[in-house]
Amino acid sequence: MPPAIAFVDAACAKLVSSAAGLNDNPDNSALRQEMVEATKSILTGTRSVLEVYDDSEVRHIVRSCDGATESLNAIIAASEPQDIIRHLQPACQRILAVSQLAERRVAEIVDPWLKEDLATSKALVSNVSTRLVAVLKMAALNPTDPSAKESKDSTLQRLVHGVEEIRRIVQIEPPPHNEDLLLGDHSRHRGNFVEKLVDLNRATLNGSKSDIQTAHTALNEACEPILAAAAASLARPAVDADAQHRHTMVNKSQEDFLAAKQRLDLAVNQAAQFAGDDSLEAVAARTEVLEASRSIDAAYLSLATNVAGADLDEALRLVESLITADPASGTETLLNKLGNAARAGNKEDVEKYLAKVQEDLAVLEAAAEAAAAAAPDAERARAIRQAAAELTQAYPELAAAARALAANPGNALAAEYFQQVSGSWDNSARRLRDAMLDASSPEAMVAFHRAMAASHLDDFREACRTQDPGRLMAASVAISARVQDALTVAKAEMEHSTDPEYRQRLQVCIDDTIASLAGLQEAAKGAFLAPNDPAAMAKLDAAVARIDDTLGELHATIARQHGTGAEAGAFAGATDVDPEAWKGIEDSLSTMARLAEEAAAEEAARLEAEEARKAEEARKEAEARAAAAAAAAEEEARKEAERLLREAEERAKAAEAARAAAAKARAEKEEAERAAAAAKAEAEAAALAALAEAGEVVIVDAPAPQLLNAAEAAANPVRANAMRLKVEASKWDSAGNNLVQLAESLSEQMAQLENLARSGARRELIDLAKKIAKDANSFEALARPIAKDCTDRRLSRDLDTSADRIPTVSTQLRVLATVRAANPGTAEGDEDYQMLVQCALSLMDGVRATLNGAQSASIRSSNPATALPWRRRVYRGGDNDDGALPVMALAAEVAKM
C-alpha cells in the first residue's frame, strides 16, 4: 500500500478509537486532543494522496507527450514513403492520447491563466493534427517535391511545438495571486505616476528641501514609461498617410507633455528654495506646483490616450490586412493575393507576398506588444500577446502550404492543405483582432478616429483649394475610412447594449454622421470647381465642421453612457487623481496663504509706522537744507546767467560763420550731382545703344503699356487682368518668340471677351472663346519642350505645373462662354457671368505664370533648338511704369541670360 494511503488509514483508525473513548468518557482531555490530532492527520494525509495522484497524472501526460514527440520526430526524419506510413499510426494514437489527457487536465486546473494556456495548446494540437494525414499523403505521393517536404516538416514542427507546450504547462506550479500583476502596463504606470504626483505636492507643503527633491526624482522616474512608450510608437516607420498622422498626434501630445513637465520642474525647483518658509512667496510657489501638476496630469492622459490609440489602430489595420477577405466584399487583402497567386502557380508572386506577410508580421509584433501594454488589465494584455505569438508561429506552415500549392496548382491535396492552413491562420488573426478590440474602450477609439479624421479634413480642404484631384481622392478615402471606423464602434455598442434609449441616441448619431459625410462630398464639388468663390469655400468649411461635430456628438454619447464624461477619451483603465487628495492640498495652501497674509499685514503696518517716522524727520531736515540752499542757489544763478549770456553771443557768431560755409558746400554738392547725372545719362545711353546693337534688347519709341487704374480694374476685371498679361508680355520682343506673340494675342482676345459677354453677341462670343481655347492650347504646347529641355528640375517642374492648368481652364472657358451665350440677357451678377469671369482670370493667371516660367527655363535649356529668343524691350516714350529694368540693371540681367 502506498505510504500516503497507509498514513490516512492509520489516522482514521486513531480517530475511530478516540471517538469511542470519548463516548465512554466525554471529559477526557487527552482523548479529545488525540481526536483533534487524528483529524489533522486525515486532512494532511488526504492532501498527500491528492498530490501523489496529481503528480501521477502529470507524469502520465509528460510520458504521453514524450512518446508523441518521438513519433513526430521520427516522421520528420523519415525520407521514404513506407517509413512515413509506418510511423503514422502510432503518432496519431499518441497525439490523440495527449489531446484527451490535456482536455481532462484543463477541467482539473484551477488557475485561469494556466487553464487558458493549456486549452490553447490543446486546441492547436487538435487543429494541426486534422491536416496531418493530408500533408503526409501529399509528401508520400511527391517525394521529390521540396515544397511538399517543407509542408510536411512545418506541420510536424507545429505539432511538436504544441505537444511540448502541453508538456511544459502541466508541469508549471500555479503562480501566487498578486493584485498588481492584474493591471495592464499603462494602467500600472499611470497609477504610479498619480501616486508620485500627489506625493510631490504633499512634500512641497510640509517637507524639507531634500524631501521635495526626492519626491521630484521619483516623479521623473514615473514619467519614463510613458515617454518610452511614445518613443517606441514614433520609432515605428510611417509607411502611409495614416501612420504619418498617428505620428503627428503622438508627437504633438509628447511635446505638450514635455512642456508641462518643464513647467512643473521649474515650479518644484522654486518651491524647494522656500522649503520651511511660510511667506506669501512660498505659498505662491507651492500653488504654482499644484497648477503645474494638474497641467502635467492632463498632458499625461492625452499622451497615453494617443499612444494607446495609435498603437492599437496600427495593430488593427495590420491584422486586418492579414485576414482573407470574403470575395463578395470586393476587398482584396494580402492573404487574398497570396492565395490567388498560389492557386495560379505563380511562384514569384507567392514569394513576394510571403515576404510582405513576414515583414508585416514583424511590425505587427511590435504594435501588438504596444497595444498589450495599453490594455486595462493583464488578462487582456496576455490574450493579445498569446494571439500575436500564435500568429507568428503559424507563418512557417502558411508559407509551406502556399509554396506547395504554387508548385502543384492542380493538386487537390495541395489545395485542400492550403485551405485548411489559411483557415487556421485566419482564425488566429481574428483572435488577435478580437483580443485587441476587447482591450480598448469604445469612447477612446471614437475619440482617436475623430482626431485622425480631423487631420485628414485639413488635407481635404487644402486639396479643394488647390484643385489637386489626387490629393482630394486620397483625403476623401481616408476620411471615409475613419468615419466608418467610428461608426463600426457605434454599431458594436448598439449590438451589445440593452438600453433602448441609448440605442436610439446612437442611431441618431450614426444617421447624422452619414448625412454629414454626404454633405461634405456635395460641398467639395462646388469648392473644387470654384476655389476662389468665398461662398463655395464657406460651404465647404461648414461641411468640414459638421463632420467633426457629428463625430464629437457620437463620442460624447458613448462617453456619457460609460460614465467617463463628454471630454473623456483616455485609454482603458486610466487612473485619475483622487479629488480628495487635491482638495486636501488646496485647503492646506489656503490656510498657509491666510496665515502668511496676516503676518504680512502685521509686518506691513509696523514698516508703515517706521516709514512715517523717518519721513517726518527727513521733511524737517529737508526744510532746513532748502532754506540754506535757496540763498546759495540765488547767487549761483546770477553768476550762471551772466556766463550763459556770454556763451550765447559767442555761439551766435560761430553759427553765422557755419551758415556761410554750409551754403558754399551745398552749391559745390549741387554742381557735382549735376555732373554725375550727366555722366550717368551718357553711360546709360551708351550701354543701351550697345545692347541694341548686340541684339540683346529692342528699343521701342513708344510709351510702355500701362495697367488700368483701380476704378477701371474694379469695373472691368477681365480687361484689367488682360492688361496685366499684356504688360508682362510687353517686356519681351515678340519677333521670333511665338510664346510672347500668343500671350499678347490672348490678352487682346480676353479684353474683347468681356465686352462680348456684356453685349450679348452670342456667335461672336462663342467664336472668340473657341479662338482663345485654341490659342491657349497652342501656348501650352509651345511651353512643353522648353520644360522638357530645362536642366533645372525645379524650374522644369514649375513650368509643367503652370502649363498643366491651361488646357483644363481653356476648356472650361469655352463651355462657360457657350452657357453665357445661351443666356445673353442675364445680369452681370448672375452665376454664369461670374463663373465665366473667374475662369478667364484663372486662364490669364496660368498663361502669365507659364510665360514667366518659360523665360526662366529657357536660360537653363540644354537644347538650343527649343530655347526661344528672349530680348528685352526698352520703351523711350512716356513713363516706364511697367516694371522695366534700369539700363545698367538690364545690362547685368542680359549678361546672365
Side-chain angles (χ1 to χ4, degrees), residues 26-55:
D27 297 329
N28 192 322
S29 59
L31 288 174
R32 188 179 292 110
Q33 182 63 31
E34 182 180 332
M35 185 176 180
V36 172
E37 293 298 329
T39 304
K40 291 180 178 178
S41 297
I42 290 174
L43 294 175
T44 303
T46 303
R47 179 178 179 181
S48 298
V49 170
L50 292 175
E51 288 177 348
V52 169
Y53 174 76
D54 191 71
D55 289 343

Side-chain angles (χ1 to χ4, degrees), residues 241-258:
D242 264 346
Q244 292 169 2
H245 285 297
R246 286 195 295 266
H247 277 205
T248 300
M249 290 175 58
V250 173
N251 189 55
K252 177 63 169 62
S253 300
Q254 180 179 250
E255 290 175 354
D256 292 344
F257 178 77
L258 291 175

Side-chain angles (χ1 to χ4, degrees), residues 261-320:
K261 185 176 181 299
Q262 183 180 17
R263 176 189 174 187
L264 180 61
D265 291 341
L266 293 173
V268 170
N269 291 335
Q270 184 69 17
Q273 303 302 319
F274 289 102
D277 189 352
D278 294 331
S279 64
L280 282 174
E281 291 84 357
V283 175
R286 292 163 189 156
T287 302
E288 173 61 16
V289 171
L290 177 61
E291 295 302 321
S293 297
R294 286 175 166 160
S295 176
I296 196 175
D297 180 55
Y300 186 107
L301 269 179
S302 175
L303 177 58
T305 298
N306 285 334
V307 168
D311 292 340
L312 184 60
D313 184 72
E314 180 178 14
L316 285 172
R317 293 195 174 277
L318 281 172
V319 79
E320 284 291 349

Side-chain angles (χ1 to χ4, degrees), residues 731-748:
K731 295 179 180 179
W732 308 101
D733 185 40
S734 60
N737 192 322
N738 293 336
L739 273 179
V740 176
Q741 293 172 10
L742 283 173
E744 290 177 343
S745 175
L746 284 169
S747 68
E748 294 171 0

Side-chain angles (χ1 to χ4, degrees), residues 389-711:
E390 180 182 340
L391 195 63
T392 302
Q393 293 162 7
Y395 171 76
E397 190 176 11
L398 176 69
R403 292 184 180 117
L405 181 56
N408 305 279
N411 189 306
L413 283 175
E416 178 186 0
Y417 175 59
F418 178 79
Q419 187 68 25
Q420 292 175 347
V421 172
S422 61
S424 175
W425 169 277
D426 286 343
N427 291 335
S428 299
R430 289 189 179 97
R431 278 194 292 274
L432 176 57
R433 179 192 62 191
D434 294 343
M436 290 188 293
L437 287 174
D438 185 52
S440 64
S441 66
E443 60 269 33
M445 290 310 298
V446 171
F448 182 80
H449 293 315
R450 178 191 180 191
M452 291 292 289
S455 62
H456 289 303
L457 284 168
D458 293 338
D459 286 347
F460 186 80
R461 189 184 185 285
E462 184 63 18
C464 289
R465 189 185 66 79
T466 58
Q467 293 185 312
D468 186 340
R471 186 177 181 187
L472 179 66
M473 179 61 69
S476 178
V477 171
I479 292 168
S480 297
R482 286 298 171 179
V483 171
Q484 290 302 325
D485 287 341
L487 293 180
T488 299
V489 176
K491 291 173 182 177
E493 280 285 289
M494 288 183 65
E495 291 177 5
H496 297 139
S497 174
T498 58
D499 183 350
E501 293 184 0
Y502 177 47
R503 290 164 59 88
Q504 183 179 2
R505 291 196 301 272
L506 282 176
Q507 187 61 56
V508 170
C509 290
I510 291 173
D511 294 341
D512 288 348
T513 303
I514 294 174
S516 67
L517 190 60
L520 179 66
Q521 295 171 351
E522 181 182 352
K525 293 179 183 178
F528 186 78
L529 293 175
N532 297 323
D533 184 0
M537 294 306 295
K539 186 176 180 182
L540 178 64
D541 289 339
V544 168
R546 178 61 180 156
I547 283 278
D548 187 66
D549 290 343
T550 55
L551 288 176
E553 182 58 30
L554 176 61
H555 169 248
T557 299
I558 296 176
R560 283 194 295 267
Q561 182 69 15
H562 290 274
T564 52
E567 74 287 352
F571 61 92
T575 303
D576 288 331
V577 179
D578 183 5
E580 292 299 323
W582 284 144
K583 187 175 184 304
I585 295 170
E586 289 175 345
D587 291 344
S588 298
L589 285 172
S590 298
T591 302
M592 288 182 176
R594 180 175 55 78
L595 295 175
E597 287 174 355
E598 292 174 356
E602 293 176 359
E603 180 66 14
R606 185 187 66 79
L607 292 175
E608 185 178 357
E610 181 68 18
E611 287 296 325
R613 183 185 61 79
K614 291 180 179 179
E616 181 63 21
E617 294 177 353
R619 185 185 63 78
K620 294 178 180 178
E621 184 178 356
E623 288 178 353
R625 290 179 179 175
E634 185 178 354
E635 179 62 22
E636 185 66 24
R638 185 184 62 77
K639 294 179 179 179
E640 182 65 16
E642 293 176 354
R643 183 183 65 80
L644 291 175
L645 181 59
R646 289 193 299 271
E647 290 180 355
E649 292 174 351
E650 293 173 356
R651 282 197 296 271
K653 294 178 181 178
E656 184 62 28
R659 279 194 295 273
K664 181 179 179 182
R666 278 195 301 273
E668 293 174 351
K669 180 181 178 182
E670 290 173 355
E671 182 63 27
E673 287 176 349
R674 284 192 293 271
K680 180 179 178 181
E682 291 177 2
E684 287 183 346
L688 184 60
L691 290 174
E693 184 178 353
E696 299 294 346
V697 299
V698 176
I699 299 174
V700 180
D701 293 318
Q706 300 295 315
L707 298 175
L708 300 184
N709 58 40

